[in-house]
Amino acid sequence: SQSRYGPVPSTEVPKEALIESDKDAKLFEKAEESLKRAFESDPNLRDISENVVMEQSPEGLKIEVMDSDKNPMFVPGGVVITDFGKNVLGKMNKVIEQMPNSISITGHTDASPVNAKSAYTNWELSADRANAARRFLLSIGMDKDRPKKVVAQADTELLTPDQPMSARNRRITIILLRGAYMELRPEAVPVTRDLLSVPSPTGENAFKAREEM
């Protein structure tokens, strides 16, 4: 259609984009199920419903890993990942490595200042924690090209704004990015048939499960 200023841009979503978005959604459902099974299979992680929340968002599959008074992800006020945090990230990585999607990692803090007399603020703390999570994931085998964004949010996106000091506000958010894919090494291709095929930038499968022998 036309306007006095020229053609009106079409708001119709290309069919190819809809197909890839649908494939991503189905893949994310499988990944969510796999993560739940991974957590349930570990006696130390069965009761972490208050620590891990997963949901599909326009950006992709969002996995929020939150602190609790019982299970902190990091040492208080610091950037050292706890054993609990390493266990959670390790389970997540085993599922993520079977996916073709790139990821983003975002650090969040609560509203309590790190040190009122220091120039080191919650911005630096959230950035350092997100980077600490990235470095740990790389140390346990994540492909160095998978993380595409490391973001610091400080206390600007509180989960519980009515309780700004709540432990739930201290969290790491990992998003499997919708429509952003990477090539998987052959050894990273899953041998299970849970995740059979995924989209790629060319519209073809980025990988397929190995054929049964």
Side-chain angles (χ1 to χ4, degrees):
S1 62
Q2 296 279 337
S3 75
R4 61 181 295 183
Y5 302 106
V8 176
S10 173
T11 58
E12 184 177 350
V13 179
K15 182 178 180 180
E16 293 80 5
L18 289 173
I19 292 173
E20 288 204 349
S21 178
D22 183 59
K23 287 183 178 179
D24 268 330
K26 292 179 179 178
L27 191 65
F28 291 157
E29 288 176 4
K30 292 289 188 181
E32 191 170 345
E33 292 171 5
S34 296
L35 281 168
K36 288 178 179 177
R37 287 198 300 270
F39 292 142
E40 290 170 357
S41 68
D42 188 328
N44 296 316
L45 295 178
R46 285 175 184 164
D47 188 24
I48 62 166
S49 57
E50 64 181 31
N51 292 91
V52 180
V53 174
M54 294 175 279
E55 65 174 349
Q56 290 198 40
S57 70
E59 196 171 1
L61 178 61
K62 179 188 292 187
I63 308 168
E64 302 263 24
V65 186
M66 299 165 285
D67 269 10
S68 67
D69 294 330
K70 179 181 178 183
N71 295 314
M73 282 288 293
F74 296 87
V75 297
V79 299
V80 176
I81 303 175
T82 63
D83 289 342
F84 170 80
K86 290 178 180 178
N87 198 2
V88 171
L89 291 173
K91 296 291 185 184
M92 290 171 58
N93 186 56
K94 289 182 179 179
V95 174
I96 291 173
E97 68 183 2
Q98 298 183 32
M99 306 283 285
N101 304 76
S102 300
I103 67 170
S104 67
I105 306 173
T106 303
H108 304 265
T109 69
D110 61 23
S112 58
V114 179
N115 186 334
K117 297 181 180 180
S118 172
Y120 188 87
T121 69
N122 281 331
W123 286 105
E124 285 78 22
L125 180 60
S126 59
D128 290 345
R129 286 182 168 180
N131 257 318
R134 179 189 62 84
R135 287 193 298 270
F136 176 74
L137 288 168
L138 295 184
S139 75
I140 60 174
M142 177 174 283
D143 192 294
K144 64 181 178 61
D145 294 326
R146 191 182 292 276
K148 294 303 181 186
K149 292 192 295 183
V150 177
V151 182
Q153 289 289 0
D155 58 346
T156 62
E157 293 186 353
L158 299 175
L159 275 184
T160 58
D162 57 327
Q163 296 178 299
M165 307 299 186
S166 170
R168 291 177 62 81
N169 294 311
R170 302 190 298 269
R171 66 198 191 278
I172 292 293
T173 302
I174 295 178
I175 300 179
L176 287 160
L177 298 170
R178 193 184 303 275
Y181 313 117
M182 57 176 288
E183 293 295 328
L184 295 183
R185 299 186 307 273
E187 61 268 26
V189 177
V191 295
T192 66
R193 301 194 68 84
D194 281 347
L195 308 173
L196 291 180
S197 61
V198 296
S200 73
T202 61
E204 299 177 354
N205 290 342
F207 74 91
K208 293 183 178 180
R210 295 191 181 113
E211 295 294 331
E212 295 180 358
M213 300 299 292

